[in-house]
Amino acid sequence: MSPMKVFGHPMLTNVARVMLFLEEVGAEYELVPVDYLAGEHKRPQHLQLNPFGLMPGFQDGDLVLFESRAIAKYVIRKYGTADLDLLGENSGIVESAMVDVWTEVEAQQYYPAIAPAVFECIINPSIMRTAPTNQTVVDESLERLRGVLGIYEARLEKSRYLAGDNVSFADLNHIPFTFYFMTTPYASLFDEYPKVKAWWESLMARPAVQRVCKNMPTKF
Amino acid sequence: MAPVKVFGSAAFTNVARVLVCLEEVGVDYEIVDIDFHVKEHKSPEHLARNPFGQVPAFQDGDLMLFQSRAISRYVLSKYRTDEVNLLREGSPEESALVDVWLDVEALQYDPAMSSVFFQHRVVPALGGMPDEGIIGESVEKLTKVLDVYEARLTKHRYLAGDFLSLADLSHFPETYYFMEMPYAAVFDSYPRVREWLEDLFARPAIKKVVSLMAKDFSG
């Protein structure tokens, strides 16, 4: 049985997201490089895998998937074990609903707040090399992020992790963009939210997270 | 058994998304309006339901949820029947495809449409001038998304496959409002997408929610 394939570069946030969950469940996979600086992701071969010309692409036998959070859920459901119940699906509908809630929060509230700063400071100038930093966008992003972190701080006063007392898909989805945010001069923002900071540090301490973050540069 | 509660008026796209799921599974529900004019969405009572001060929030017995796609998943899972299996639970491949196209809706389709709606309808209502540049960019993004949808729907009846799923239903609220704007003409070039939308809008569950949205929006 051939291993799963992930198409992209391990330092790209959404590629790292998929690799993180592959590492967490300990599944075998192959990383197939895509020369995005040469525009390979916009060419027909990659478009067969990801019709939006984005990364990652993903293949498990005949199954082709895209959208990193969808790929990650598939990996967890198919290759995960009962003791690592990242989606809460082995615990019951209430637990899985709470994981879904905070997974949506990451995608719909946290990501729009933190991503512009990461795109402006790191992705645009240094990874995709498309544009220099727009400071106004960064400032607006930080303002919005403060609001979100305030809500996270209150949540983490009440539960150890976002969806409850066990680590879940919701927590780990924060890794890729937050990792890069922490390499910017604005990382100290998290110091204002002690519960959030402690939560972040416990996620970063996970061996699977360490393995994936090794491929993500801290200096540009 | 007490009916489930949905907090927020049907006119909001994210509330409508939840309502269509409740209608599809045939579960009794009560809509509790949240009055934005008196800032009820920022009241302690509502923040306890939705810490982001948004709608919808949702209550089923002791369980309180927010984020419309999470609520939708809960409703479709808990109240699933043999006939109504809109998450395709039980099949890793099918449920993965539902997840893929629901994320496409959430992260690509919806933002392009809501950006146009915001400029065209909300900005003037707040006394401002629509930014035609933003509208133009968003419509451009939408056509790129629709190119992909047309190709996909040429191969399959619905987005995740030949079965209806939450991925399809989730598109209806934003599309409903978009079709009332002049930019709706962008859909003229996409015959399969139009057929797929007509199919969705013909569903009793969607017709019911549209009637609730229209009533609230004019009220």
Side-chain angles (χ1 to χ4, degrees):
Chain A
M1 170 105 141
S2 62
M4 288 176 277
K5 291 187 178 155
V6 180
F7 298 82
H9 192 290
M11 76 173 179
L12 300 177
T13 44
N14 291 325
V15 178
R17 188 196 305 273
V18 170
M19 289 172 62
L20 171 57
F21 289 103
L22 286 162
E23 292 286 336
E24 283 282 347
V25 304
E28 222 193 306
Y29 66 99
E30 188 191 324
L31 182 63
V32 179
V34 173
D35 189 354
Y36 60 89
L37 288 176
E40 191 183 342
H41 55 312
K42 305 294 180 188
R43 290 202 212 110
Q45 195 174 344
H46 187 81
L47 292 173
Q48 306 266 29
L49 298 167
N50 186 324
F52 294 94
L54 301 172
M55 288 166 283
F58 174 87
Q59 198 167 6
D60 185 8
D62 289 332
L63 183 66
V64 166
L65 298 175
F66 53 95
E67 290 301 338
S68 56
R69 293 170 187 83
I71 297 168
K73 279 193 197 167
Y74 168 80
V75 164
I76 295 168
R77 284 188 186 125
K78 191 137 190 221
Y79 298 98
T81 55
D83 53 315
L84 187 63
D85 188 20
L86 293 176
L87 296 175
E89 288 174 352
N90 299 333
S91 306
I93 195 162
V94 170
E95 287 78 3
S96 64
M98 293 312 294
V99 174
D100 283 345
V101 166
W102 289 93
T103 298
E104 287 296 314
V105 168
E106 184 273 324
Q108 296 286 334
Q109 314 277 3
Y110 186 89
Y111 169 78
I114 201 171
V118 173
F119 272 95
E120 290 301 325
C121 295
I122 298 179
I123 297 179
N124 293 351
S126 309
I127 298 185
M128 299 306 282
R129 303 189 198 161
T130 47
T133 303
N134 178 331
Q135 194 57 44
T136 309
V137 173
V138 173
D139 293 340
E140 280 168 12
S141 178
L142 295 175
E143 184 65 38
R144 204 168 159 181
L145 183 58
R146 281 206 155 81
V148 175
L149 291 180
I151 292 170
Y152 275 38
E153 186 72 10
R155 174 64 184 169
L156 292 166
E157 299 271 349
K158 287 187 281 197
S159 74
R160 202 166 150 222
Y161 291 97
L162 289 173
D165 289 324
N166 298 310
V167 75
S168 79
F169 186 66
D171 305 289
L172 292 166
N173 266 295
H174 291 76
I175 298 283
F177 279 88
T178 311
F179 177 84
Y180 279 133
F181 183 84
M182 294 309 199
T183 70
T184 72
Y186 310 103
S188 56
L189 181 60
F190 276 66
D191 296 342
E192 298 168 33
Y193 305 93
K195 290 280 186 197
V196 176
K197 180 113 196 250
W199 163 80
W200 172 250
E201 283 168 353
S202 78
L203 295 178
M204 279 303 294
R206 296 176 70 83
V209 175
Q210 289 285 314
R211 286 197 294 277
V212 169
C213 290
K214 270 205 196 60
N215 299 308
M216 297 168 76
T218 53
K219 291 193 175 34
F220 298 92
Chain B
M1 173 112 135
V4 303
K5 286 187 183 164
V6 180
F7 297 86
S9 101
F12 286 92
T13 53
N14 293 328
V15 176
R17 173 173 293 107
V18 171
L19 297 180
V20 89
C21 293
L22 289 164
E23 287 289 337
E24 287 285 350
V25 294
V27 158
D28 276 340
Y29 61 91
E30 188 191 322
I31 298 176
V32 178
D33 194 35
I34 298 294
D35 191 347
F36 278 66
H37 293 116
V38 304
K39 294 203 172 352
E40 191 181 354
H41 58 307
K42 300 292 180 192
S43 69
E45 289 83 2
H46 190 69
L47 289 173
R49 302 176 192 120
N50 183 328
F52 293 89
Q54 295 171 342
V55 290
F58 174 88
Q59 187 172 11
D60 186 356
D62 290 332
L63 181 65
M64 189 69 77
L65 300 175
F66 60 100
Q67 297 297 147
S68 67
R69 291 172 190 81
I71 299 166
S72 297
R73 285 176 180 280
Y74 169 81
V75 165
L76 294 176
S77 180
K78 178 152 185 202
Y79 298 104
R80 163 191 169 182
T81 63
D82 289 336
E83 294 80 34
V84 189
N85 178 9
L86 296 170
L87 296 174
R88 314 304 287 187
E89 294 168 295
S91 165
E93 292 77 19
E94 287 185 355
S95 60
L97 290 166
V98 175
D99 289 341
V100 165
W101 290 95
L102 187 55
D103 270 5
V104 171
E105 181 268 320
L107 301 173
Q108 310 212 44
Y109 184 93
D110 198 286
M113 283 201 157
S114 63
S115 170
V116 175
F117 182 85
F118 186 79
Q119 292 299 323
H120 186 77
R121 296 291 297 270
V122 179
V123 165
L126 298 173
M129 287 288 295
D131 184 329
E132 294 295 335
I134 292 180
I135 292 179
E137 273 170 28
S138 300
V139 171
E140 180 65 32
K141 271 195 198 134
L142 183 61
T143 60
K144 298 257 179 317
V145 170
L146 293 178
D147 286 341
V148 176
Y149 278 44
E150 186 72 13
R152 177 70 182 173
L153 292 166
T154 299
K155 285 191 282 200
H156 297 281
R157 190 170 166 206
Y158 294 104
L159 286 172
D162 292 323
F163 49 86
L164 179 76
S165 75
L166 175 60
D168 307 286
L169 294 176
S170 202
H171 287 74
F172 122 79
E174 281 296 340
T175 309
Y176 171 71
Y177 286 129
F178 190 83
M179 291 317 205
E180 294 180 335
M181 294 191 287
Y183 312 99
V186 79
F187 279 83
D188 291 349
S189 318
Y190 300 99
R192 265 302 293 141
V193 173
R194 282 206 317 276
E195 269 172 23
W196 164 73
L197 286 174
E198 274 157 28
D199 186 304
L200 289 179
F201 277 89
R203 296 185 69 77
I206 289 192
K207 283 184 170 164
K208 172 72 191 287
V209 178
V210 164
S211 72
L212 296 173
M213 290 167 87
K215 199 155 61 89
D216 276 346
F217 209 87
S218 55

